[in-house]
Amino acid sequence: MKHAQPTSFSVRPSACPGLLRIVQAKDGGICRIKLPCGRLGSMQARAVAAGANAHACGVIEATNRSNLQIRGVKAGAEQALIDALLAAGLGAGSPGADDVRNLMVSPLAGLDSSALVDVSPLATQILGLLQDKSHFHALSPKFALLLDGGEAMAMLEHPHDLWLSAMGNGNHAQFAFGLAGCPPRSGDDTPALAAVPRAQAPALVEAVLELFLELATPEQTRMRHLLAGHPPGDLLLRLQQRLEFPLLPAGDWQRPAPQPFAHLGIREGRHVGGAPTLGRLNAAQLIALADLADQQGDGSLRLTPWQSIVLPNAEDAGAVLRAMQDLGLATDAQEPLARLIACTGSAGCAKGLADTKADALALSPLLPPGAVAHLSGCPRSCAAAHVAPFTLLAVAPGRYDLFQRGGEGFGRLLSRDLSIQEAGERLAASPDTWSSTP
């Protein structure tokens, strides 16, 4: 595989970090490493750890799009870090493709026996399409796709610009698809637009991206922006006109619910998942996980959209689980830190109104069993692409408004201007509103 050479490429401006575009934050530079389908080899993991130690402050974050990012990159060390990561094979096939590798699949794609379809070959085709067609490099770094094979471990709440989800199985499988949303799981959800046979899924993706780039203005960077001026029916008609095969009706298809917290603990006796505290790893933890992958697994790790890590194909899953626990990773949904999400907060972000990481640690012993909460330092909600069952939105240092999911935005306002102690008490007083959904 060829790797990008940053010395001969001018990185386009954007507020989004990338491997080649290190963006400054309050705590230093941020380098985001986009992993194909969330997959990371053990040697690559060691390279990330070494880079974080040598060129940054040693903090590594698992993101909600199954990627990694290095925080606190030192001034003047940016190019050295980029070069080290590229040498480890962590770049795209061409420099312009780094931004557009936003394809989400299940962390157990190809390994989940309950899946309808092994989407790994399709994912490879779609990633190749995004990387090899240079005009697709004009897509926003936030433009994102979902390819769902019907796995039990699946994130279905993150809205995607284009989603495809398996209907049926084997050679007769079809993929339902939709724009600017999520696969429907109930009658209240927006239904799929249509469906295509499995073999035609790459052609559909290419046609959708071509149509988006043809119709979108420079200000319309996401599919939801385009839909504001082009109704779904209009886009579907335009799409059909450029396809050589008929789009199929998806009917009232609904995607069965995935298993809650399937990313934690042992799955199918050989895949082991653990969540670092509030999504953050240090270099020593990542090196230890890489060693575990070599000693007990197949030499690979898989990042998840729950800011956690799965070690697949473990020879002794119990030993891996205990090792993860010894490293400080949460491996059970009963652990409060497994049910808390927190953004960088004011310690590392100029927009943060509160130190959300520290406040989440303070909230963890107060969090009632079963409650799932997200602490957000500002309304941008960087740490969670979906709306959590409960959101604590910072209004001042150590003070939060509490929302319950439902309706617009973060949901229904429950209480204003709470301290962390008061937030814990308010959550404990409302057990009927808790949710076990991760």
Coordinates of all heavy atoms in Angstrom, one line a residue, residues 217-273:
T217 N -24.2 23.1 -3.0 CA -23.5 24.3 -3.1 C -22.3 24.2 -2.1 O -22.2 23.3 -1.3 CB -24.3 25.5 -2.7 OG1 -24.7 25.4 -1.3 CG2 -25.6 25.6 -3.5
P218 N -21.3 25.1 -2.2 CA -20.2 25.1 -1.3 C -20.6 25.1 0.2 O -19.9 24.5 1.0 CB -19.3 26.3 -1.7 CG -19.6 26.5 -3.1 CD -21.1 26.2 -3.3
E219 N -21.7 25.8 0.5 CA -22.1 25.8 1.9 C -22.8 24.6 2.3 O -23.0 24.3 3.5 CB -23.1 27.0 2.0 CG -22.5 28.4 1.8 CD -22.2 28.7 0.3 OE1 -23.0 28.2 -0.5 OE2 -21.3 29.5 0.0
Q220 N -23.3 23.7 1.4 CA -24.0 22.5 1.7 C -23.0 21.4 1.8 O -22.8 20.6 0.9 CB -25.1 22.2 0.6 CG -26.2 23.3 0.6 CD -27.1 23.1 -0.6 OE1 -26.7 22.7 -1.7 NE2 -28.4 23.4 -0.4
T221 N -22.4 21.2 3.0 CA -21.4 20.2 3.2 C -21.9 18.9 3.6 O -21.2 17.9 3.6 CB -20.4 20.7 4.2 OG1 -21.1 21.0 5.5 CG2 -19.7 22.0 3.7
R222 N -23.1 18.8 4.1 CA -23.7 17.5 4.6 C -25.0 17.2 3.8 O -25.7 18.1 3.3 CB -24.0 17.6 6.1 CG -22.8 18.0 6.9 CD -21.7 16.9 6.9 NE -22.1 15.6 7.3 CZ -22.1 15.2 8.6 NH1 -21.8 16.1 9.6 NH2 -22.5 14.0 9.0
M223 N -25.4 16.0 3.8 CA -26.6 15.6 3.1 C -27.8 16.3 3.7 O -28.8 16.6 2.9 CB -26.7 14.1 3.2 CG -27.8 13.5 2.3 SD -27.5 13.8 0.5 CE -26.3 12.5 0.2
R224 N -27.9 16.5 4.9 CA -29.0 17.2 5.5 C -29.2 18.6 4.9 O -30.3 19.1 4.8 CB -29.0 17.2 7.0 CG -27.9 18.1 7.6 CD -27.9 18.1 9.1 NE -26.9 19.0 9.7 CZ -25.7 18.6 10.1 NH1 -25.3 17.4 9.8 NH2 -24.9 19.5 10.6
H225 N -28.1 19.2 4.6 CA -28.2 20.6 4.0 C -28.8 20.5 2.6 O -29.6 21.3 2.2 CB -26.8 21.2 3.9 CG -26.1 21.3 5.2 ND1 -24.7 21.2 5.3 CD2 -26.5 21.5 6.5 CE1 -24.3 21.3 6.6 NE2 -25.4 21.5 7.3
L226 N -28.4 19.5 1.9 CA -28.9 19.3 0.5 C -30.4 19.0 0.5 O -31.2 19.5 -0.3 CB -28.1 18.2 -0.2 CG -28.5 18.0 -1.7 CD1 -28.2 19.2 -2.5 CD2 -27.8 16.7 -2.2
L227 N -30.8 18.1 1.5 CA -32.2 17.8 1.6 C -33.1 18.9 1.9 O -34.3 18.9 1.6 CB -32.4 16.7 2.7 CG -31.9 15.3 2.3 CD1 -31.9 14.4 3.5 CD2 -32.7 14.7 1.2
A228 N -32.6 20.0 2.5 CA -33.4 21.2 2.8 C -33.9 21.8 1.5 O -35.0 22.4 1.5 CB -32.6 22.2 3.6
G229 N -33.2 21.6 0.4 CA -33.7 22.2 -0.9 C -34.1 21.2 -1.9 O -34.7 21.5 -2.9
H230 N -33.8 19.9 -1.6 CA -34.2 18.8 -2.6 C -34.8 17.7 -1.7 O -34.1 17.0 -1.0 CB -32.9 18.3 -3.3 CG -32.2 19.3 -4.2 ND1 -32.6 19.4 -5.5 CD2 -31.2 20.1 -4.0 CE1 -31.9 20.4 -6.0 NE2 -31.0 20.8 -5.1
P231 N -36.1 17.6 -1.8 CA -36.8 16.6 -1.0 C -36.3 15.2 -1.4 O -35.8 14.9 -2.5 CB -38.3 16.7 -1.5 CG -38.4 18.1 -2.0 CD -37.1 18.4 -2.6
P232 N -36.4 14.2 -0.4 CA -35.9 12.9 -0.7 C -36.4 12.2 -2.0 O -35.7 11.5 -2.7 CB -36.3 12.1 0.6 CG -36.4 13.1 1.6 CD -36.9 14.4 0.9
G233 N -37.7 12.5 -2.3 CA -38.3 11.9 -3.5 C -37.6 12.4 -4.7 O -37.4 11.7 -5.7
D234 N -37.3 13.7 -4.7 CA -36.6 14.3 -5.9 C -35.2 13.7 -6.0 O -34.8 13.3 -7.1 CB -36.5 15.8 -5.7 CG -35.6 16.5 -6.7 OD1 -36.0 16.3 -7.9 OD2 -34.6 17.1 -6.4
L235 N -34.5 13.5 -4.9 CA -33.1 12.9 -5.0 C -33.2 11.5 -5.5 O -32.4 11.0 -6.2 CB -32.4 13.0 -3.7 CG -32.0 14.4 -3.2 CD1 -31.3 14.4 -1.9 CD2 -31.1 15.1 -4.2
L236 N -34.3 10.7 -5.0 CA -34.4 9.3 -5.4 C -34.7 9.2 -6.9 O -34.1 8.3 -7.6 CB -35.6 8.7 -4.6 CG -35.7 7.2 -4.6 CD1 -34.4 6.6 -4.0 CD2 -36.9 6.7 -3.9
L237 N -35.5 10.1 -7.4 CA -35.7 10.1 -8.9 C -34.5 10.4 -9.7 O -34.2 9.7 -10.7 CB -36.8 11.1 -9.2 CG -37.2 11.3 -10.7 CD1 -37.7 10.0 -11.2 CD2 -38.2 12.4 -10.9
R238 N -33.7 11.4 -9.2 CA -32.5 11.8 -9.9 C -31.5 10.6 -9.8 O -30.7 10.3 -10.7 CB -31.8 13.0 -9.3 CG -32.6 14.3 -9.5 CD -32.0 15.4 -8.7 NE -32.7 16.7 -8.9 CZ -32.3 17.7 -9.7 NH1 -31.2 17.5 -10.5 NH2 -33.0 18.8 -9.8
L239 N -31.5 9.9 -8.7 CA -30.6 8.8 -8.5 C -30.9 7.7 -9.4 O -30.0 7.1 -10.0 CB -30.7 8.3 -7.0 CG -29.7 7.3 -6.5 CD1 -28.2 7.8 -6.6 CD2 -30.0 7.0 -5.0
Q240 N -32.2 7.4 -9.5 CA -32.6 6.3 -10.4 C -32.2 6.6 -11.9 O -31.8 5.7 -12.6 CB -34.1 6.1 -10.3 CG -34.6 4.9 -11.2 CD -34.1 3.6 -10.8 OE1 -34.6 2.9 -10.0 NE2 -33.0 3.2 -11.5
Q241 N -32.2 7.8 -12.3 CA -31.9 8.2 -13.6 C -30.4 7.9 -14.0 O -30.1 7.8 -15.2 CB -32.3 9.7 -13.9 CG -33.8 10.0 -13.9 CD -34.1 11.4 -13.9 OE1 -33.2 12.3 -13.6 NE2 -35.3 11.8 -14.2
R242 N -29.6 7.9 -13.0 CA -28.2 7.7 -13.3 C -27.7 6.3 -13.0 O -26.5 6.0 -13.2 CB -27.3 8.7 -12.6 CG -27.4 8.7 -11.1 CD -26.4 9.7 -10.5 NE -26.7 11.0 -10.9 CZ -25.8 12.0 -11.1 NH1 -24.5 11.7 -11.0 NH2 -26.1 13.2 -11.4
L243 N -28.6 5.4 -12.5 CA -28.3 4.0 -12.3 C -28.7 3.1 -13.4 O -29.8 3.4 -14.0 CB -28.9 3.6 -11.0 CG -28.4 4.2 -9.7 CD1 -29.3 3.8 -8.5 CD2 -27.0 3.8 -9.4
E244 N -28.0 2.1 -13.6 CA -28.3 1.1 -14.7 C -29.1 -0.1 -14.2 O -29.4 -1.0 -15.0 CB -27.0 0.6 -15.4 CG -26.2 1.7 -16.0 CD -24.9 1.2 -16.6 OE1 -24.6 0.0 -16.4 OE2 -24.2 2.0 -17.3
F245 N -29.6 0.0 -13.0 CA -30.4 -1.1 -12.4 C -31.5 -0.4 -11.6 O -31.4 0.7 -11.2 CB -29.6 -2.0 -11.5 CG -28.8 -1.2 -10.5 CD1 -29.3 -0.9 -9.2 CD2 -27.5 -0.8 -10.7 CE1 -28.6 -0.2 -8.2 CE2 -26.8 -0.1 -9.7 CZ -27.3 0.2 -8.5
P246 N -32.6 -1.1 -11.5 CA -33.8 -0.5 -10.8 C -33.6 -0.5 -9.3 O -33.1 -1.5 -8.7 CB -35.0 -1.4 -11.2 CG -34.3 -2.7 -11.5 CD -33.0 -2.4 -12.1
L247 N -33.9 0.6 -8.6 CA -34.0 0.6 -7.2 C -35.2 -0.2 -6.7 O -36.3 -0.1 -7.4 CB -34.1 2.1 -6.7 CG -32.9 2.9 -7.0 CD1 -33.2 4.4 -6.6 CD2 -31.7 2.4 -6.2
L248 N -35.1 -0.9 -5.6 CA -36.1 -1.8 -5.1 C -36.8 -1.2 -3.9 O -36.2 -0.4 -3.2 CB -35.5 -3.1 -4.8 CG -34.7 -3.8 -5.8 CD1 -34.0 -5.0 -5.3 CD2 -35.5 -4.2 -7.1
P249 N -38.1 -1.5 -3.8 CA -38.8 -1.0 -2.6 C -38.3 -1.6 -1.3 O -38.0 -2.8 -1.3 CB -40.3 -1.3 -2.8 CG -40.2 -2.5 -3.8 CD -39.0 -2.3 -4.6
A250 N -38.1 -0.9 -0.2 CA -37.8 -1.4 1.1 C -39.0 -1.7 1.9 O -38.8 -2.3 3.0 CB -36.8 -0.4 1.8
G251 N -40.1 -1.2 1.5 CA -41.4 -1.5 2.3 C -41.3 -0.9 3.7 O -40.8 0.2 3.9
D252 N -41.8 -1.6 4.6 CA -41.8 -1.2 6.0 C -40.7 -1.8 6.8 O -40.8 -2.0 8.0 CB -43.2 -1.4 6.7 CG -43.6 -2.9 6.6 OD1 -42.8 -3.7 6.1 OD2 -44.6 -3.3 7.2
W253 N -39.6 -2.1 6.1 CA -38.5 -2.8 6.8 C -38.0 -2.0 8.0 O -37.9 -0.8 7.9 CB -37.3 -3.0 5.8 CG -36.0 -3.4 6.4 CD1 -35.7 -4.7 6.7 CD2 -35.0 -2.6 6.9 NE1 -34.4 -4.7 7.3 CE2 -34.0 -3.5 7.4 CE3 -34.7 -1.2 6.8 CZ2 -32.8 -3.0 7.9 CZ3 -33.5 -0.7 7.4 CH2 -32.6 -1.6 7.9
Q254 N -37.7 -2.7 9.1 CA -37.1 -2.1 10.2 C -35.9 -3.0 10.7 O -35.9 -4.2 10.6 CB -38.1 -2.1 11.4 CG -39.2 -1.1 11.1 CD -40.3 -1.2 12.2 OE1 -40.0 -1.7 13.3 NE2 -41.4 -0.6 12.0
R255 N -34.8 -2.3 11.1 CA -33.6 -2.9 11.5 C -33.8 -3.5 13.0 O -34.1 -2.7 13.9 CB -32.5 -2.0 11.5 CG -31.1 -2.5 11.3 CD -30.5 -3.3 12.5 NE -29.1 -3.5 12.3 CZ -28.4 -4.2 13.2 NH1 -29.0 -4.7 14.3 NH2 -27.1 -4.4 13.0
P256 N -33.6 -4.8 13.2 CA -33.7 -5.3 14.6 C -32.7 -4.6 15.5 O -31.6 -4.2 15.1 CB -33.4 -6.8 14.4 CG -33.7 -7.1 13.0 CD -33.4 -5.9 12.2
A257 N -33.1 -4.4 16.7 CA -32.3 -3.7 17.7 C -31.0 -4.5 18.0 O -31.0 -5.7 18.1 CB -33.0 -3.5 19.0
P258 N -29.8 -3.8 18.0 CA -28.6 -4.5 18.4 C -28.6 -4.8 19.9 O -29.4 -4.3 20.6 CB -27.5 -3.4 18.0 CG -28.2 -2.1 18.1 CD -29.6 -2.4 17.7
Q259 N -27.6 -5.5 20.3 CA -27.5 -5.8 21.7 C -26.8 -4.7 22.5 O -25.7 -4.3 22.2 CB -26.6 -7.1 21.9 CG -26.5 -7.6 23.3 CD -25.7 -8.8 23.4 OE1 -25.3 -9.5 22.4 NE2 -25.3 -9.2 24.6
P260 N -27.5 -4.2 23.5 CA -26.9 -3.1 24.3 C -25.6 -3.5 25.0 O -25.4 -4.6 25.4 CB -27.9 -2.8 25.4 CG -29.2 -3.3 24.9 CD -28.8 -4.5 24.0
F261 N -24.6 -2.6 25.0 CA -23.3 -2.8 25.6 C -22.6 -4.1 25.1 O -21.8 -4.6 25.8 CB -23.5 -2.9 27.1 CG -23.9 -1.5 27.7 CD1 -25.2 -1.3 28.1 CD2 -22.9 -0.5 27.9 CE1 -25.6 -0.1 28.6 CE2 -23.3 0.7 28.4 CZ -24.6 0.9 28.8
A262 N -22.8 -4.4 23.9 CA -22.1 -5.6 23.3 C -20.7 -5.4 23.1 O -19.9 -6.3 22.9 CB -22.8 -6.0 22.0
H263 N -20.2 -4.1 23.2 CA -18.8 -3.8 23.0 C -18.0 -4.1 24.3 O -16.8 -3.9 24.3 CB -18.6 -2.3 22.6 CG -19.2 -1.3 23.6 ND1 -20.5 -1.2 23.8 CD2 -18.6 -0.5 24.5 CE1 -20.7 -0.3 24.8 NE2 -19.6 0.2 25.2
L264 N -18.6 -4.5 25.4 CA -17.9 -4.7 26.6 C -18.0 -6.2 26.9 O -19.0 -6.9 26.7 CB -18.6 -3.9 27.8 CG -18.6 -2.4 27.6 CD1 -19.3 -1.8 28.8 CD2 -17.1 -1.9 27.5
G265 N -16.9 -6.7 27.5 CA -16.8 -8.1 28.0 C -16.5 -9.1 26.8 O -16.0 -8.7 25.8
I266 N -16.9 -10.3 27.0 CA -16.5 -11.4 26.1 C -17.7 -11.7 25.2 O -18.8 -11.9 25.7 CB -16.1 -12.7 26.9 CG1 -14.9 -12.4 27.7 CG2 -15.8 -13.8 25.9 CD1 -14.5 -13.5 28.6
R267 N -17.5 -11.7 23.9 CA -18.5 -12.0 22.9 C -18.1 -13.3 22.1 O -17.0 -13.4 21.7 CB -18.7 -10.8 21.9 CG -19.2 -9.6 22.6 CD -20.5 -9.7 23.3 NE -20.7 -8.7 24.3 CZ -21.6 -8.8 25.3 NH1 -22.3 -9.9 25.4 NH2 -21.7 -7.8 26.2
E268 N -19.0 -14.2 22.0 CA -18.9 -15.4 21.2 C -17.6 -16.2 21.7 O -17.0 -16.9 21.0 CB -18.8 -15.1 19.7 CG -20.0 -14.5 19.2 CD -20.1 -14.5 17.7 OE1 -19.2 -15.1 17.0 OE2 -21.1 -14.0 17.1
G269 N -17.3 -16.0 23.0 CA -16.2 -16.7 23.6 C -14.8 -16.3 23.2 O -13.8 -16.9 23.8
R270 N -14.6 -15.4 22.3 CA -13.3 -15.1 21.8 C -13.0 -13.6 21.4 O -11.9 -13.3 21.1 CB -13.0 -16.0 20.6 CG -13.9 -15.8 19.4 CD -13.9 -16.9 18.4 NE -14.8 -16.8 17.3 CZ -14.5 -16.2 16.1 NH1 -13.2 -15.9 15.9 NH2 -15.4 -16.1 15.2
H271 N -14.0 -12.8 21.5 CA -13.8 -11.4 21.2 C -14.0 -10.6 22.5 O -15.1 -10.7 23.2 CB -14.7 -10.9 20.2 CG -14.8 -11.7 19.0 ND1 -13.7 -12.1 18.2 CD2 -15.9 -12.3 18.4 CE1 -14.1 -12.9 17.2 NE2 -15.4 -13.1 17.3
V272 N -13.0 -9.8 22.9 CA -13.0 -9.2 24.3 C -13.0 -7.6 24.1 O -12.1 -7.1 23.4 CB -11.9 -9.7 25.1 CG1 -12.0 -9.2 26.6 CG2 -11.8 -11.2 25.1
G273 N -13.9 -7.0 24.8 CA -14.0 -5.5 24.7 C -13.8 -4.8 26.0 O -14.3 -5.3 27.1

